């Protein structure tokens, strides 16, 4: 059974940084991707970033490009999302998700419970 556990959320001022972690377990191969999506109160879910575990290719939503960096430590089965230059509009619950590399993040079948990120102005 695939399990994903997020950590690293919190409260930060605008312009600050946070690093989210997603500890993954239960995978039987490396032919999958791990990504992040977020959901703010009253808003639709929004994909954020994704990384292929097999070849390291990455994806970023336009809203975070240049500010967020996704990386993976395959030895630790952990994916990180470094978030810099945070804005109040980045405030949301951030979810880690995993699935086949050919699917959009929002269609990934496995997800964690989420971690709150709050950016104050």
């Amino acid at each position: 059974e695939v399990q994903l556990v997020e950590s690293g959320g919190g409260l930060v001022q605008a312009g600050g940084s946070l690093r989210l972690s997603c500890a993954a377990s239960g995978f039987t191969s490396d032919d999958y991707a791990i990504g992040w999506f977020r959901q703010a109160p009253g808003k639709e879910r929004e994909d954020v970033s994704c990384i292929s575990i097999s070849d390291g290719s990455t994806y970023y939503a336009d809203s975070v490009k240049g500010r967020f960096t996704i990386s993976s430590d395959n030895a630790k089965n952990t994916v990180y999302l470094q978030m810099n230059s945070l804005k109040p509009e980045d405030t949301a619950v951030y979810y880690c998700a995993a699935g086949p590399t050919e699917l959009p993040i929002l269609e990934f079948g496995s997800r964690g419970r989420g971690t709150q990120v709050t950016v104050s102005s």
Side-chain angles (χ1 to χ4, degrees), residues 7-31:
S7 61
L11 172 64
V12 65
Q13 289 189 330
S17 299
L18 283 173
R19 188 177 80 158
L20 305 184
S21 299
C22 174
S25 62
F27 293 95
T28 58
S29 75
D30 63 358
D31 187 19

Side-chain angles (χ1 to χ4, degrees), residues 12-16 18 23 26 33 42-43 45 58 62 70-72 75 79 103 109:
V12 65
Q13 289 189 330
L18 283 173
K43 295 189 176 181
R45 294 178 305 163
T58 57
D62 288 343
I70 193 168
S71 62
S72 67
V79 168
L103 288 183

Side-chain angles (χ1 to χ4, degrees), residues 1-7 20-30 32-36 51-53 71-80 95-99 108 110-113:
E1 179 186 0
V2 172
Q3 290 191 329
L4 303 168
V5 180
E6 305 98 334
S7 61
L20 305 184
S21 299
C22 174
S25 62
F27 293 95
T28 58
S29 75
D30 63 358
Y32 62 95
I34 292 182
W36 297 87
I51 186 166
S52 168
I53 298 303
S71 62
S72 67
D73 183 337
N74 292 349
K76 295 182 179 180
N77 294 324
T78 300
V79 168
Y80 304 97
Y95 297 88
C96 178
F108 284 176
S110 301
R111 61 190 59 179
R113 300 178 69 175

Side-chain angles (χ1 to χ4, degrees), residues 62-120:
D62 288 343
S63 59
V64 306
K65 203 170 289 184
R67 300 188 296 124
F68 291 10
T69 302
I70 193 168
S71 62
S72 67
D73 183 337
N74 292 349
K76 295 182 179 180
N77 294 324
T78 300
V79 168
Y80 304 97
L81 184 68
Q82 178 66 44
M83 306 186 296
N84 298 331
S85 303
L86 283 162
K87 305 175 182 180
E89 51 263 44
D90 293 318
T91 295
V93 178
Y94 284 69
Y95 297 88
C96 178
T101 54
E102 64 269 21
L103 288 183
I105 299 167
L106 296 183
E107 295 183 21
F108 284 176
S110 301
R111 61 190 59 179
R113 300 178 69 175
T115 185
Q116 176 71 46
V117 171
T118 303
V119 184
S120 63

